[in-house]
Amino acid sequence: MTDLVILVGSVYGGSVEVAEAVAEAVEATGLSVEINEEPNLASLEGNSVVLLVSSTTGSGELPENIQPFYTELQQQPRALSGRGYAVIALGDSSYGDSYCAGGLLLDAQFADLGAKALMPLLKIDALEFFQPAEGISDWLTAWLDALKKFSEKG
Ligand SMILES: Cc1cc2nc3c(=O)[nH]c(=O)nc-3n(C[C@H](O)[C@H](O)[C@H](O)COP(=O)(O)O)c2cc1C
């Protein structure tokens, strides 16, 4: 079992780059990380902390590769009480009301299932960051700290 599983929802690969940047930093602390670009319910087996990194497409929809996972979670809800998680939402604020809607859907679903948010949701705005991985630096410091504290609690 890995310490952290990163579930990615992406259309153009920006969220994959963000996931890889987080994975590299977490692995440097000695924790093990798995990145999954085709998530499903089986991705939640074990007790790994879950990081969801997803963009938004269409008018506030999840990317196709992560939509089935979200549907599965709604149709066959799993108790995730005590499971630590966080969400990084890539979006574009010029979309107005649907800004980062995909990440917000995942965040609400995990919270509904009783998972514990280790960090507030991080939004990365394409208008601000041409390279989305540049949008995580402050978040990353706090995340490594939160992850360490959560792992120590066992
Ligand atoms: C066709 C299309 C629709 C989009 N719809 C939204 C949207 O509804 N809300 C939002 O915040 N961003 C939207 N975006 C912006 C993407 O979420 C953003 O560019 C993101 O960084 C892409 O990440 P990815 O490469 O992982 O897919 C849209 C982008 C495209 C091309």
Side-chain angles (χ1 to χ4, degrees):
M1 198 198 81
T2 48
D3 298 306
L4 172 68
V5 60
I6 306 181
L7 308 182
V8 181
S10 188
V11 179
Y12 301 104
S15 303
V16 180
E17 284 173 30
V18 169
E20 286 170 348
V22 175
E24 196 182 331
V26 172
E27 279 168 348
T29 71
L31 296 176
S32 57
V33 185
E34 178 198 327
I35 296 178
N36 190 332
E37 293 177 45
E38 294 297 332
N40 56 39
L41 283 187
S43 319
L44 297 177
E45 276 163 22
N47 291 313
S48 314
V49 172
V50 182
L51 175 64
L52 300 140
V53 183
S54 183
S55 65
T56 297
T57 190
S59 313
E61 280 120 51
L62 285 163
E64 262 180 37
N65 74 304
I66 201 167
Q67 178 62 48
F69 169 69
Y70 179 69
T71 306
E72 271 184 310
L73 270 181
Q74 286 181 307
Q75 291 173 349
Q76 306 161 49
R78 298 233 162 155
L80 294 176
S81 46
R83 180 76 71 100
Y85 83 100
V87 180
I88 298 178
L90 278 71
D92 182 327
S93 56
S94 64
Y95 282 85
D97 284 351
S98 75
Y99 177 46
C100 288
L104 289 164
L105 284 174
L106 293 167
D107 191 31
Q109 186 68 36
F110 267 64
D112 269 5
L113 296 174
K116 178 180 163 47
L118 302 185
M119 297 278 289
L121 179 138
L122 173 70
K123 293 180 179 174
I124 301 180
D125 189 353
L127 283 190
E128 191 180 349
F129 296 103
F130 182 65
Q131 299 290 345
E134 288 172 5
I136 61 168
S137 41
D138 292 345
W139 177 94
L140 192 54
T141 311
W143 165 247
L144 293 177
D145 199 39
L147 198 54
K148 186 162 169 266
K149 282 194 188 128
F150 190 75
S151 306
E152 281 168 0
K153 273 196 214 149

